[in-house]
């Protein structure tokens, strides 16, 4: 099993067609509409909060910096387990969009956190690899990128744990595209 997972990752490593396919799809009406919806929604709020888990953490940090530099004040929630959203007033939360980054859209800690955000009537945009995940269903808008989901087992001794290898290139690209559109939209209006 372990060797099979390694072999599969070697095959996927050499396959750039999924990136080219994604870049072609991003200009199709489906994703363009999702991006335009995100821009319209984000334009109405004052603050963007990024939440993430696992390999998405670095992308969320980059996203918060990129958004702040280009489009809108943004922060990354560092530790979801402390429920920092609980300290925001209702009035503050009405001015916030949360962008959640998750490859699988099924991370238990993220799901629990989003359920709490939903109780507070917080607005959520999910950027994930799946349109039908639990995180997608808990979000107001989902922007799915649909690329090959890749994992390998952590070790030959431990096939219960996996390492996520799915590329973050689509999530990064979508964040940048949304921020650029938001900036251009702000400059026009």
């Amino acid at each position: 099993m372990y060797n099979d997972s390694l072999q599969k990752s070697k095959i996927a490593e050499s396959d750039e067609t999924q990136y080219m396919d994604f870049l072609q799809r991003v200009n199709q009406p489906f994703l363009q509409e999702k991006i335009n919806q995100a821009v319209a929604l984000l334009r109405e709020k004052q603050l963007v909060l990024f939440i993430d888990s696992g390999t998405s953490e670095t992308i969320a940090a980059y996203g918060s910096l990129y958004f702040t530099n280009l489009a809108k004040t943004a922060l990354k929630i560092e530790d979801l387990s402390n429920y920092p959203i609980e300290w925001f007033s209702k009035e503050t939360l009405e001015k916030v969009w949360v962008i959640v980054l998750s490859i699988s859209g099924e991370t238990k800690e993220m799901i629990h956190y989003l359920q709490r955000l939903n109780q507070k009537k917080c607005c959520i945009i999910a950027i994930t690899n799946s349109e039908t995940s639990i995180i997608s269903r808990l979000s107001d808008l989902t922007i799915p990128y649909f690329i090959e989901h890749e994992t390998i087992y952590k070790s030959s001794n431990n096939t219960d744990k996996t390492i996520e290898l799915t590329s973050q290139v689509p999530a990064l690209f979508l964040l940048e595209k949304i921020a650029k559109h938001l900036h251009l939209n702000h400059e026009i209006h």
Side-chain angles (χ1 to χ4, degrees):
M1 265 192 332
Y2 176 70
N3 288 335
D4 290 342
S5 75
L6 288 176
Q7 186 61 33
K8 185 177 179 185
S9 72
K10 286 180 186 175
I11 293 167
E13 180 181 336
S14 64
D15 184 16
E16 291 83 16
T17 59
Q18 67 180 339
Y19 305 118
M20 291 184 283
D21 179 54
F22 167 75
L23 291 172
Q24 289 175 344
R25 280 186 288 116
V26 87
N27 291 315
Q28 297 298 316
F30 175 77
L31 277 177
Q32 277 299 310
E33 183 179 321
K34 296 283 188 178
I35 291 165
N36 291 338
Q37 287 175 329
V39 170
L41 294 170
L42 290 164
R43 185 177 50 227
E44 303 303 319
K45 303 293 182 171
Q46 294 179 355
L47 176 66
V48 178
L49 295 177
F50 283 88
I51 63 172
D52 54 72
S53 178
T55 57
S56 297
E57 288 183 36
T58 304
I59 304 305
Y62 174 78
S64 66
L65 178 63
Y66 199 83
F67 265 69
T68 297
N69 284 338
L70 195 57
K72 187 149 312 250
T73 303
L75 303 167
K76 177 187 175 299
I77 302 295
E78 291 290 332
D79 184 6
L80 296 180
S81 64
N82 286 323
Y83 294 99
I85 209 79
E86 299 293 333
W87 301 106
F88 287 100
S89 69
K90 180 182 176 190
E91 294 77 24
T92 300
L93 288 176
E94 289 172 355
K95 300 173 186 175
V96 171
W97 267 101
V98 172
I99 295 179
V100 58
L101 302 169
S102 174
I103 293 169
S104 71
E106 301 291 339
T107 308
K108 287 180 182 160
E109 182 181 45
M110 297 273 280
I111 291 166
H112 190 256
Y113 197 74
L114 290 181
Q115 289 168 334
R116 297 284 286 263
L117 289 174
N118 281 334
Q119 290 172 356
K120 297 227 176 228
K121 308 289 188 228
C122 202
C123 301
I124 302 165
I125 296 173
I127 298 176
T128 184
N129 199 30
S130 169
E131 192 174 34
T132 59
S133 67
I134 294 172
I135 287 175
S136 294
R137 291 192 305 267
L138 291 171
S139 301
D140 298 279
L141 174 67
T142 298
I143 306 174
Y145 44 87
F146 305 121
I147 66 165
E148 180 75 27
H149 187 231
E150 300 175 66
T151 59
I152 59 170
Y153 292 113
K154 191 142 182 116
S155 69
S156 58
N157 301 346
N158 187 357
T159 56
D160 291 337
K161 302 228 181 220
T162 58
I163 298 171
E164 185 64 63
L165 298 177
T166 306
S167 176
Q168 292 283 350
V169 168
L172 185 67
F173 184 88
L174 288 167
L175 285 176
E176 288 185 357
K177 190 161 183 90
I178 292 166
K180 287 175 186 176
H181 280 269
L182 195 56
H183 176 75
L184 290 172
N185 194 283
H186 176 73
E187 292 297 314
I188 292 169
H189 294 99

